Amino acid sequence: MKILVINGPNINMLGIREPEVYGRQTYAELCEMIQVYAAENGVTVELYQSNHEGDLVDTIQQAYGVFDGIVINPAAYTHTSVAILDALKACGIPAVEVHISDVEKREAFRQISYVREYCEKTICGHGFAGYTEAIDYLMNRHQM
Ligand code: CA2
């Protein structure tokens, strides 16, 4: 099974500021944790992070026919991007939305998610563990 893990803008800055919201671990540590978990579970994972909406759309489009599942944290684009929602719909790959923080308990604008309409599941506020929970969901779904 092949899973694409996509992270949006500023996720590469994790651990540098706002540790009370996003924790002290870095993006490099997140990638390492995901790769170790994937290897333990016999899943191939590719990681992608971009600060640019069009690059995220391109990456989702290129996943068509290549990946069996997508884990996506669109970061700030969660709350604004119809383009990312449309790309997910266009490629039709099962997807899970992940947020490190509990967006439901933050500002009103963070409670709006465009991608949620497409994603089969949303995991919020579980920190980095949300990514491995999303991988678990996609693995179980794939086995059915
Ligand atoms: O909780 C999440 O995972 C978010 O998707 C993270 C985004 C935020 O815009 C979403 O509302 C919720 C922010 C990504 C990281 O931003 C940083 C900000 C300051 C310091 C380090 C990272």
Side-chain angles (χ1 to χ4, degrees), residues 9-11 13-14 17-18 22 73 75-76 79 99-101 103 106 110:
N10 298 307
I11 296 283
M13 298 295 281
L14 288 176
R17 286 174 55 85
E18 295 195 49
Y22 301 114
N73 181 350
H79 320 301
H99 297 287
I100 297 164
S101 65
V103 283
R106 298 182 65 193
R110 292 189 206 273

Side-chain angles (χ1 to χ4, degrees), residues 48 52-63 87:
Y48 181 78
H52 305 281
E53 187 175 16
D55 290 344
L56 296 166
V57 169
D58 287 345
T59 300
I60 294 166
Q61 288 182 6
Q62 286 156 14

Side-chain angles (χ1 to χ4, degrees), residues 26-83:
T26 64
Y27 177 64
E29 288 171 317
L30 173 64
C31 294
E32 173 68 14
M33 183 206 75
I34 291 170
Q35 288 293 10
V36 166
Y37 190 79
E40 284 170 358
N41 286 280
V43 172
T44 302
V45 162
E46 201 167 291
L47 290 135
Y48 181 78
Q49 188 276 329
S50 176
N51 296 323
H52 305 281
E53 187 175 16
D55 290 344
L56 296 166
V57 169
D58 287 345
T59 300
I60 294 166
Q61 288 182 6
Q62 286 156 14
Y64 179 76
V66 178
F67 289 93
D68 307 300
I70 293 177
V71 175
I72 184 162
N73 181 350
Y77 289 135
T78 305
H79 320 301
T80 62
S81 181
V82 177

